[in-house]
Amino acid sequence: CVSKEYGDIYDIMGGNGHFNAFQKELLGWLNQSGFPPITPVTTSGVYTIAPYEKNDTSAKALKILKAVHALTKMRTYYYIEYRAGIGFDSHEPPVVLVHTGTEGSKNHSYLWDLEPDTGVDWVLDVGQTYTDSAAGVNFTLVSMDANKAVVRVDFEGAPNISCLRAHPTINISPSNQTGSVGQSLSYTVSVTNNNSS
């Protein structure tokens, strides 16, 4: 992958659009009490998202687990949002976009290239499926109109992303002994599996 600084034209730093869903969630403008929700997606199904620009109580994005860092345990999510090209975004056509963002890392949100083998394509088109085999998820834009975008998310046949691997904890007791040549010494060794359940 190649990262392009300020390459997200659908964000305030790369263009002149709204902050993306990850940033708005981080700022408390989405998914907080009194603000529009983000729908967390953990099971296969069909989900609806409302236009990003409308100030109402409808879900403004889908949030799907992409990866968990083995050491820090920080999670990276896909954020799928629908910008209807109205209001502040009226200079842009209606689009469904995919960003990623890592919790606890405010400077790491990225607009996702959905067809990296064919050039740069930021837009999830109607009927298009994006597959992330490492995360074990794919999503398809089923339909889009002035009031909503409908997205199918599929985890079927995916690897088990709920099992998060971590280094084990090993304890040896006592940690230090002295003895003479040929003498037997006893130790107690415990190994703790720190993987998620």
Side-chain angles (χ1 to χ4, degrees):
C1 296
V2 176
S3 177
K4 181 180 176 189
E5 185 138 8
Y6 304 116
D8 185 351
I9 63 171
Y10 296 95
D11 188 74
I12 197 73
M13 293 299 288
N16 53 4
H18 282 264
F19 288 115
N20 62 54
F22 165 73
Q23 292 168 335
K24 282 191 175 186
E25 181 181 40
L26 192 67
L27 291 166
W29 299 346
L30 286 179
N31 220 28
Q32 301 293 322
S33 178
F35 290 90
I38 292 174
T39 301
V41 178
T42 57
T43 59
S44 297
V46 177
Y47 298 87
T48 300
I49 44 180
Y52 201 62
E53 303 88 350
K54 289 188 177 179
N55 187 14
D56 57 28
T57 58
S58 302
K60 299 299 178 188
L62 304 179
K63 183 177 179 180
I64 305 164
L65 181 64
K66 179 185 185 326
V68 180
H69 192 279
L71 297 177
T72 66
K73 306 291 187 247
M74 289 197 306
R75 290 171 165 78
T76 298
Y77 292 94
Y78 284 113
Y79 288 82
I80 303 174
E81 61 194 50
Y82 169 45
R83 297 187 183 224
I86 57 177
F88 193 73
D89 288 333
S90 61
H91 62 283
E92 295 291 339
V95 292
V96 171
L97 303 171
V98 179
H99 283 85
T100 56
T102 301
E103 61 188 7
S105 184
K106 62 184 176 222
N107 294 327
H108 291 94
S109 89
Y110 298 99
L111 177 61
W112 211 248
D113 183 357
L114 299 171
E115 291 188 33
D117 297 333
T118 62
V120 179
D121 184 1
W122 309 118
V123 178
L124 186 63
D125 298 311
V126 173
Q128 180 183 1
T129 298
Y130 178 77
T131 300
D132 181 341
S133 56
V137 65
N138 62 64
F139 34 86
T140 305
L141 179 57
V142 176
S143 65
M144 180 174 72
D145 61 31
N147 299 310
K148 67 188 177 306
V150 179
V151 178
R152 172 155 182 77
V153 180
D154 191 1
F155 292 101
E156 289 182 29
N160 183 359
I161 61 173
S162 62
C163 179
L164 309 176
R165 296 184 182 269
H167 293 291
T169 303
I170 301 172
N171 290 309
I172 301 173
S173 178
S175 61
N176 188 343
Q177 290 191 70
T178 58
S180 56
V181 175
Q183 178 184 5
S184 293
L185 299 174
S186 295
Y187 293 89
T188 301
V189 179
S190 67
V191 179
T192 304
N193 181 346
N194 291 320
N195 292 350
S196 71
S197 59

